[in-house]
Amino acid sequence: MLNELRVADLLERIGEKTPAPASGAATALTGALAAALAELSARFAADDAGIARARELAAELVRLGDEDAAAYAAYLADQNAETRAETIRVPEEIARKADEVAELAERAAGKLRSSVSGDANASAALARAAASVARSLADLNRGES
């Protein structure tokens, strides 16, 4: 669903006074944007495997953004151990995927001239931020914050 929205509509949906989509979806989409930059960086680094994996990660992160919104809505509808576990599992998965994006970007950055390394560096920074926020959300949902 998130990938079907225009950017302006997506921003409006996230900004609405509703429980979801919210932080988890925004974090996953930040990771997906980082993956797109990692793909671009891998192209300049002539890393075919990195290009393919970055594209896969972007799609997986968008899917996880939808899963996060659904998991939180399910938890609000029926607060039990199973629905709570999903609100922890999904952000943890977002964090793992974002970590992988950062690794791809850093690998590409090592192969790039300074004139094109900015995209790789931006990718890594965005991915690390997304991973950090996702872990914080998982901790919050776990009751550790």
Side-chain angles (χ1 to χ4, degrees):
M1 174 186 88
L2 294 174
N3 66 340
E4 297 171 1
L5 295 174
R6 292 170 33 101
V7 172
D9 296 333
L10 173 65
L11 296 174
E12 185 176 321
R13 291 278 309 274
I14 289 174
E16 290 175 351
K17 191 176 180 180
T18 58
S23 301
T27 300
L29 293 173
T30 299
L33 289 169
L37 287 170
E39 179 183 347
L40 170 66
S41 302
R43 287 184 189 287
F44 278 103
D47 178 1
D48 291 339
I51 294 165
R53 185 60 185 143
R55 183 172 289 187
E56 290 169 358
L57 286 166
E60 291 170 12
L61 283 157
V62 170
R63 178 186 51 77
L64 286 166
D66 284 332
E67 280 186 30
D68 184 82
Y72 196 68
Y75 176 73
L76 290 178
D78 185 11
Q79 296 183 17
N80 61 56
E82 184 179 325
T83 58
R84 179 187 213 83
E86 264 310 272
T87 69
I88 297 165
R89 181 196 68 78
V90 176
E92 287 177 339
E93 186 66 18
I94 291 168
R96 282 190 292 277
K97 302 292 183 191
D99 284 338
E100 189 176 347
V101 170
E103 291 166 10
L104 283 173
E106 289 165 353
R107 185 174 76 207
K111 300 177 182 177
L112 296 173
R113 295 186 325 268
S114 62
S115 63
V116 291
S117 64
D119 293 313
N121 294 334
S123 172
L126 288 169
R128 293 279 181 226
S132 176
V133 171
R135 284 190 179 87
S136 295
L137 291 172
D139 290 345
L140 180 69
N141 294 342
R142 194 178 284 113
E144 295 178 2
S145 293

